[in-house]
Amino acid sequence: MSEDSELIFFPVKDVRFQDLSDWGNPDEEHKVTNGLVRKFKRQISQSGSLVEVNEVKVALFRVAEQLYAIKGKCPHLGGPLHLGDIEELPDKSMCVRCPWHGWKFDLTTGRAEHPADRDVYAVVYKTKVDEQGNISVGFTEFSSSYFSGDTDF
């Protein structure tokens, strides 16, 4: 059995792969999405997309043809990771830098790469993209809120 077969994939609503800013393409620094230019008081205006999937806020990042998904809040102090910058690590893997305190998390493993002396991990998720660019994010279980009667399917 593959690791993906043990996951439950939930669809992302209202965001497709081609809608995401491509961090691998410098020409998309000020990408227009849904007719609006994203403007943030940051080094550049590019950012990830914050979506809610399975009752969890997830930050999505596109780098060329690769899609990354990481829990939306930094495990250090809750900073908004979808507003963080994407950087290439020395081993060529990608990380997100939290905009609040500069912590860096590997987008594949979730491991804190900076500061290096911390044993902290962010939650990362497997993703799937179909031919139309529809995105799904994999979880090991349904959110408990689905069984509390508080959530509609």
Side-chain angles (χ1 to χ4, degrees), residues 25-62:
N25 182 350
D27 294 336
E28 290 195 17
E29 185 174 316
H30 300 284
K31 181 176 181 173
V32 176
T33 304
N34 296 329
L36 300 173
V37 177
R38 296 178 182 170
K39 294 182 180 178
F40 297 101
K41 293 180 181 176
R42 299 172 52 240
Q43 186 176 0
I44 59 175
S45 65
Q46 229 174 10
S47 69
S49 289
L50 185 66
V51 297
E52 190 165 315
V53 186
N54 192 27
E55 301 296 313
V56 176
K57 290 189 191 281
V58 176
L60 298 175
F61 295 97
R62 174 184 173 191

Side-chain angles (χ1 to χ4, degrees), residues 1 7 13-14 16-18 27 30 32-33 35-36 43 49 52 68 75 80-81 91 94 101 111 116 121 125 145 147:
M1 253 181 151
L7 298 175
K13 296 178 184 174
D14 303 322
R16 295 188 320 162
F17 182 76
Q18 56 270 32
D27 294 336
H30 300 284
V32 176
T33 304
L36 300 173
Q43 186 176 0
S49 289
E52 190 165 315
Y68 297 98
L81 290 181
D91 68 358
M94 305 306 292
H101 299 107
R111 182 177 182 273
Y121 285 81
Y125 303 95
S145 66
F147 305 101

Side-chain angles (χ1 to χ4, degrees), residues 74-81 97-105 114-115:
C74 175
H76 171 228
L77 288 175
L81 290 181
R97 181 171 42 89
C98 179
W100 284 6
H101 299 107
W103 282 47
K104 296 179 185 180
F105 296 93
H114 177 80

